[in-house]
Amino acid sequence: MTENTQQQNPAPITELPTQYAPAEVEGTLYERWVERGYFSADAAGEKPPYTVVIPPPNVTGSLHLGHAFEHTLIDALTRRKRMQGFETLWQPGMDHAGIATQNVVERELAKEGKSRHDLGREEFIERVWKWKGESGGQISGQMRRLGDGVDWDRERFTMDEGLSQSVQTIFKKLYDDELIYRAERIINWCPRCLTAISDIEVEYQDDDGELVSMKYGEGDETIVVATTRAETMLGDTAVAVHPDDERYKHLVGKQIKLPLTDRTIPVVADEHVDPEFGTGAVKVTPAHDPNDFEIGQRHDLPNIAVMDEHAVITVPGPFQGLDRLEARSAIVGALRAEGRIVAEKRPYAHSVGHCSRCKTTIEPRLSMQWWVKVGPLAKAAGDAVRDGKVKIHPQEMEKRYFDWVDNLHDWCISRQLWWGHRIPVWYGPNGEVVCVGPDDEAPTGEGWTQDSDVLDTWFSSGLWPFSTLGWPEQTDSLAKFYPNSVLVTGYDILFFWVARMMMFGLYAMDGTPPFHTIVLHGMVRDQFGKKMSKSFGNAVNPLDWMDKYGSDAVRFTLARGANPGTDVPIGEDWVQGSRNFANKIWNATRFALMNGATIEGDLPPVEQLSATDRWILSRLNATVAEVDALYDDYQFAKLSDALFHFAWDEVFDWYVELSKTTFMGGGDAAKVSGRVLGEVLDVTLRLLHPIVPFVTETLWTTLTGRESLVIAEWPKDSGFRDAGAEREIETLQQVITEVRRFRADQGLQPGQKVPARLSLDGTALAPHEAAIRQLLRLQPEGESFAATATLPVSGATVALDLSGTIDVAAERKRLAKDLAAAEKEKAQATAKLGNEAFLAKAPDNVVDKIRGRLTKADADIIRLQAQLDGLPAA
């Protein structure tokens, strides 16, 4: 629906409640938008497409500030594009979140005294689907609270039938192209969740552990190694030294005794070893360390696993059956008893990986898993950005992207879970391996079994830009809306999600990347820049702020902090300030409606417009152009700030105030101002709508009598500029600002009236005398008028009669003191800037700061001297 076909409300409302109450309008407005189909995207339409996918939140999740931030930015982009006439699709959906969801349901079972094994695989999966239907997806309702303009009819879930077909299709294609294989490698293993986990699911933190130096070998053939994981020494199959390390050349190739075992292990030379670190010798445990595994591959070392999936020692002997931490202490004690402990350092702070779900310490473990051979896929993903097919914003993030895709290791895609996309591979009784596509019949018969593992959640979410559009079927939606226009997501998942979407999109869609532009934002932090966390006590539920201040206030605060690629600080005071901004918009529109503001008819011809009218229309068009340019550069903070200052400062604080005199006078001039004010509010509300949709919708429909701002036309810069009017009103602003400052300096109350003589003849300010007197509370001069203070400002003179209102002698003394301080500041700054030695050594920012001090001192001197000159003799 275009603006031209918008329905008119039965009768324009010209009055608004005295206060804006977000809770009374937001929910109703949103449901009206959805019911009327404003957010629905038509694949058969002729409009140009604009597509954005939602980074799918976990089905277990709820709205947090990071979601609210990201969704605000996407919603702003899509609302603007919809207003610009694009067929706009914001694709919603949720991720099945394998580990997180399975953990939730297993905890529910534990309350019943059961485990998933008590139910069996099929019944457990049924239980998860039941939980999903009853409790999962609460974030969808919270997204509605925020105002997300998504096409709910297209909502997808990474485990629904269509997406499952997409997963099976691409697995089969990769398998047939020999880009998926099964192999034994080191993976991140969670002994609590009992599965391999991806790098993104590992959280690193500094833990207090111990660093133990141990002596291997006997006599002249001894060598000292250090470790924080003494329990893994039971699986050592070598000691490695650098080939050029003279200290150990006599040992390379020899066998030395491994303590506490009946084995000997070789000393090998490997360039991976840093001879400057520690003793220059490292123990090699290929089955329990990724770097050691690589050394083992290079030297054909055996892989000896010493722990089971629960991280319990399995090596026969005195340590068998001990948990890894119990074994660590016992082994160090046994080595100490043999005199093999050379040094012990505890506590020893070092970085340790933890499962992001259950916080258990991760165990590197050799395991048979499924892998994606990422080499050719990663190269294509890198080339797409290098060739300009895909742009990353901000551009400086490209280096991080290349650092990742150019050095990507093969991707472990199998997980030892039950909830997820089961790997479509069957094993036969005679060693057969068959990969089954969605159109293939799975093998049947005695001895055939399906692989028990499921796929990494990132495997299915990596297909999101095209699987949600119906791929592998060649649907109308796929033809219309792929590739996506832009991806908006956090820099923290640039590697894990964005890179995977790039690899899969280019591979599955014949070299067409999944999106044209990648816009990366930072993380939301508290007002002091600290990461938000429940443990820090600074985590915020955005719904609480929405309840208190309204969704628009939360959205505007988040958008105003969104500088590209940088973290976003946010505090409740800032949200309160945004609520005040919404109230300001409300009150200004209410004033306009009560004074005849209208959008009916064309704007009056230029010759009928006052300088004030021409100024605001000039500034309005300049703001439209500025906001458009900033949107196209994804500068959300700057465009929000530009809108804030234009709306609050120029429209509400200046134009509305300057127009009051005109409205009071009535007649044709008031009608002209009413039409101009209506135009300015109409365009301003349109510009603000993508970021603050609720308050603007309420005001715009009231102002215009039309159906909805959601489907209104985005403003265009008409090209109208009036530099003369802008200079004239800037001069007027200077006069009013300077006199207001003088009044405040004298301690006069804002509403206190003062007799004044205005000398404006021959200046551009002459037509503005009534407005100046109105805004400055200046009375006409009476017969007893005595000019006790004279202010020359911008070519005009304002003489004030302050008789009886100030102590002239005390005021002269105060001003003289302030003037002396300003002159001293100027002298100091001038001296520094005249010192060549100082300028040669001082950083640029320090020099700039001093130049700023000099500029301010000059301005203060002029202002204070003028005030002194304006006072009568004491």
Side-chain angles (χ1 to χ4, degrees), residues 415-434:
R415 298 290 180 266
Q416 290 64 56
L417 303 170
W418 286 357
W419 174 245
H421 296 282
R422 196 164 176 182
I423 289 176
V425 172
W426 271 254
Y427 305 108
N430 299 310
E432 302 96 332
V433 179
V434 176

Side-chain angles (χ1 to χ4, degrees), residues 816 818-828 857 861 865:
D818 291 347
L819 180 62
E823 289 171 339
K824 181 179 179 181
E825 175 73 0
K826 177 180 180 178
Q828 291 175 342
I861 289 170
Q865 189 61 61

Side-chain angles (χ1 to χ4, degrees), residues 270-530:
D270 194 282
E271 292 188 350
H272 169 78
V273 180
D274 180 1
E276 302 298 324
F277 183 76
T279 63
V282 296
K283 60 191 287 295
V284 181
T285 320
H288 291 279
D289 184 274
N291 293 323
D292 292 4
F293 179 79
E294 298 295 332
I295 294 175
Q297 293 290 101
R298 289 193 288 271
H299 297 277
D300 198 25
L301 299 173
N303 302 315
I304 300 177
V306 301
M307 284 178 250
D308 66 10
E309 60 185 5
H310 297 280
V312 171
I313 301 298
T314 57
V315 178
F319 312 111
Q320 187 174 12
L322 295 179
D323 169 83
R324 55 183 166 169
L325 298 181
E326 296 171 334
R328 182 177 302 171
S329 178
I331 287 172
V332 171
L335 290 169
R336 190 184 297 111
E338 289 191 5
R340 290 189 175 273
I341 299 297
V342 176
E344 296 179 73
K345 184 177 181 181
R346 62 170 66 88
Y348 177 72
H350 61 125
S351 182
V352 178
H354 296 261
C355 174
S356 63
R357 305 298 177 191
C358 67
K359 311 308 177 187
T360 302
T361 300
I362 291 303
E363 189 64 42
R365 185 170 187 254
L366 186 65
S367 179
M368 182 67 74
Q369 302 284 347
W370 285 94
W371 305 80
V372 172
K373 186 185 295 182
V374 300
L377 303 174
K379 182 181 184 305
D383 290 345
V385 176
R386 288 189 174 93
D387 297 344
K389 290 182 181 177
V390 178
K391 297 187 182 302
I392 294 178
H393 186 87
Q395 190 174 2
E396 54 265 27
M397 285 287 182
E398 284 186 3
K399 182 179 184 303
R400 296 180 65 178
Y401 176 78
F402 293 136
D403 286 345
W404 179 257
V405 297
D406 293 346
N407 299 285
L408 203 56
H409 297 294
D410 285 359
W411 171 21
C412 176
I413 56 172
S414 47
R415 298 290 180 266
Q416 290 64 56
L417 303 170
W418 286 357
W419 174 245
H421 296 282
R422 196 164 176 182
I423 289 176
V425 172
W426 271 254
Y427 305 108
N430 299 310
E432 302 96 332
V433 179
V434 176
C435 181
V436 177
D439 299 324
D440 301 332
E441 289 289 334
T444 58
E446 187 177 349
W448 283 93
T449 58
Q450 186 178 357
D451 195 299
S452 61
D453 288 352
V454 300
L455 288 163
D456 178 12
T457 298
W458 296 101
F459 191 94
S460 52
S461 60
L463 313 179
W464 194 245
F466 52 95
S467 64
T468 51
L469 299 173
W471 185 90
E473 301 298 325
Q474 297 304 305
T475 64
D476 291 342
S477 290
L478 189 65
K480 177 79 172 182
F481 296 113
Y482 187 91
N484 295 180
S485 305
V486 63
L487 173 75
V488 180
T489 192
Y491 65 69
D492 54 321
I493 56 173
L494 171 64
F495 316 132
F496 307 108
W497 186 46
V498 179
R500 281 153 173 69
M501 285 190 290
M502 286 285 284
M503 291 191 293
F504 281 166
L506 290 160
Y507 173 74
M509 301 300 293
D510 300 320
T512 302
F515 18 73
H516 297 301
T517 305
I518 301 167
V519 175
L520 298 171
H521 60 72
M523 298 170 62
V524 178
R525 297 180 177 272
D526 71 12
Q527 59 188 321
F528 306 108
K530 191 174 183 179

Side-chain angles (χ1 to χ4, degrees), residues 54-64 67 70-71 92-97 139-140 143 157-158 464:
I54 190 173
N58 288 351
V59 67
T60 59
S62 59
L63 191 74
H64 57 63
H67 289 131
E70 186 168 80
H71 291 198
M94 286 183 293
D95 191 280
H96 65 277
I139 195 171
S140 296
M143 288 165 58
F157 180 54
T158 51
W464 194 245

Side-chain angles (χ1 to χ4, degrees), residues 840-863:
K841 293 180 181 179
D844 290 344
N845 65 318
V846 173
V847 175
D848 289 342
K849 188 175 180 180
I850 293 173
R851 288 195 179 111
R853 285 168 48 193
L854 178 59
T855 300
K856 182 179 183 302
D858 281 333
D860 287 344
I861 289 170
I862 293 172
R863 175 175 61 83

